Amino acid sequence: MTFSILPASERDLPEIAAIERKVFGDPWSTQSFRESFGHHAMYFACARRDGGQLVGYVVAWFAAGEGEIANLAVDPSEWGHGAGRQLLEAALSAAAARRTTAVYLEVRESNARARRLYTSYGFEEVGRRRGYYRRPVEDAIVLRRTLEVKDG
Ligand SMILES: CC(C)(COP(=O)(O)OP(=O)(O)OC[C@H]1O[C@@H](n2cnc3c(N)ncnc32)[C@H](O)[C@@H]1OP(=O)(O)O)[C@@H](O)C(=O)NCCC(=O)NCCS
């Protein structure tokens, strides 16, 4: 299945916040998402099905050659259809366009689904933050993907 990846906007926030609350025990607030608008370093996009339904989103930032995937989620009813993959690809393309050479992210140790996705995109484990997550408390695994900056 293919999805359209589009810039997120203020009017998408209720749908984004609803997905966020479904999938994370310690969800971002709507205000945290709102603060991701308007910063030149931020990349905030959502995935929509043909009919327009918002099924997922990604928030990332890129600055001074480095970046981070800060949030990525897909509505559970849409898991396994490729939206997560497409959102991650879009963020990595944005990273490359902004001449980013290293992209980092944190993932719960037990989150096998997300870890498989990241591994398949060349992310490698570079560290661990003990007790980083709340509800439930769990270690974060820090992953890094390096990108080649092309001349020109
Ligand atoms: C992680 C997440 C974004 C993946 O979204 P998705 O739309 O289901 O992902 P895709 O359909 O594009 O699948 C991408 C990869 O995820 C993994 N995956 C998908 N379904 C899976 C399953 N049932 N079991 C294990 N891994 C699975 C596979 O590696 C898959 O690649 P493949 O299709 O080549 O097998 C989604 O599960 C999610 O929102 N999870 C909750 C929030 C979260 O954990 N976010 C990441 C925080 S760091």
Side-chain angles (χ1 to χ4, degrees):
M1 201 181 289
T2 59
F3 298 88
S4 307
I5 308 296
L6 303 160
S9 73
E10 179 76 30
R11 66 175 186 283
D12 299 324
L13 290 182
E15 288 164 281
I16 288 171
I19 295 173
E20 176 81 5
R21 285 193 298 270
K22 272 193 229 176
V23 300
F24 291 117
D26 52 351
W28 281 21
S29 64
T30 299
Q31 187 55 26
S32 301
F33 284 108
R34 188 170 284 122
E35 285 165 7
S36 304
F37 292 126
H39 280 270
H40 70 277
M42 300 302 295
Y43 176 77
F44 188 2
C46 56
R48 288 186 178 278
R49 255 197 301 170
D50 325 330
Q53 190 201 338
L54 193 153
V55 301
Y57 50 88
V58 62
V59 182
W61 60 260
F62 311 111
E66 292 206 336
E68 183 179 1
I69 310 282
N71 200 333
L72 169 69
V74 171
D75 190 300
S77 65
E78 302 285 338
W79 285 3
H81 298 302
R85 192 169 278 287
Q86 265 190 255
L87 284 162
L88 183 58
E89 275 178 25
L92 290 173
S93 297
R98 298 182 200 193
R99 306 182 70 76
T100 306
T101 55
V103 178
Y104 291 82
L105 61 82
E106 283 122 16
V107 59
R108 278 186 186 268
E109 185 171 27
S110 65
N111 192 346
R113 179 185 286 266
R115 289 181 68 177
R116 256 185 64 182
L117 170 62
Y118 298 134
T119 302
S120 73
Y121 276 87
F123 281 87
E124 291 175 337
E125 190 171 331
V126 292
R128 171 185 292 264
R129 300 197 208 287
R130 296 214 179 268
Y132 179 83
Y133 290 106
R134 299 174 300 151
R135 282 179 265 160
V137 172
E138 187 174 348
D139 290 359
I141 304 301
V142 183
L143 303 178
R144 181 182 63 197
R145 155 84 193 262
T146 52
L147 300 170
E148 244 178 72
V149 172
K150 300 211 169 57
D151 291 331

